Amino acid sequence: MRSTKAGVAPAGLIIIALGGTAALLGTGTAQAADVEHGKVVFQTCAACHSEKPDAIGPSLRGVYGRKSGSLDNFRYSNAMLRANLVWDEANLRAYLKDPQAKVKGNRMPFAGLSDPKDIDDVIAFLKQYK
């Protein structure tokens, strides 16, 4: 490292060096999911997935841990009925990223979320949306 005076490295270089070391050692921590941000991102979903009886999509209230295609008051696509999924973190993550890849032939007209942080945050919100 370069020094500025008397053999002392600039603070910015120390932080960069320490951050790089942490990344190399795998000791960095992932950012925690942000439920409030997930609630904001979820507003895109709420356009179709509401509590209204005439909603386009099924209610997502209590979806975390629920079996796919299991609400009595919604007419699911055959693809969703056959999917036989439980909406846990892995299945939600895959579905939110690319709904058609996870459940081929489902009727949801949504391309998916591209930002992994948005997906994490929506899942955190859905876990609390009971």
Side-chain angles (χ1 to χ4, degrees):
M1 280 189 212
R2 242 177 2 149
S3 65
T4 54
K5 51 166 127 155
V8 177
L13 288 177
I14 292 171
I15 291 170
I16 290 170
L18 290 175
T21 302
L24 288 173
L25 296 175
T27 59
T29 59
Q31 256 188 334
D34 181 346
V35 173
E36 287 304 311
H37 179 248
K39 184 177 181 178
V40 171
V41 176
F42 178 79
Q43 292 311 303
T44 302
C45 311
C48 296
H49 294 279
S50 73
E51 301 298 312
K52 297 176 187 172
D54 63 343
I56 295 170
S59 171
L60 296 181
R61 186 174 298 279
V63 71
Y64 188 83
R66 185 168 72 206
K67 186 176 184 283
S68 61
S70 65
L71 288 181
D72 291 335
N73 62 350
F74 188 78
R75 201 179 101 231
Y76 292 94
S77 66
N78 287 332
M80 191 57 73
L81 291 171
R82 286 190 308 265
N84 197 30
L85 301 171
V86 172
W87 294 118
D88 58 13
E89 283 199 38
N91 285 322
L92 281 169
R93 184 167 282 108
Y95 192 75
L96 290 170
K97 181 178 180 184
D98 189 348
Q100 291 302 321
K102 183 65 180 172
V103 179
K104 290 177 182 23
N106 80 77
R107 292 189 303 230
M108 191 166 76
F110 179 64
L113 297 172
S114 59
D115 185 342
K117 179 73 171 125
D118 286 348
I119 294 170
D120 289 344
D121 294 349
V122 168
I123 292 171
F125 172 72
L126 289 173
K127 283 180 173 181
Q128 297 183 353
Y129 188 53
K130 297 179 179 187

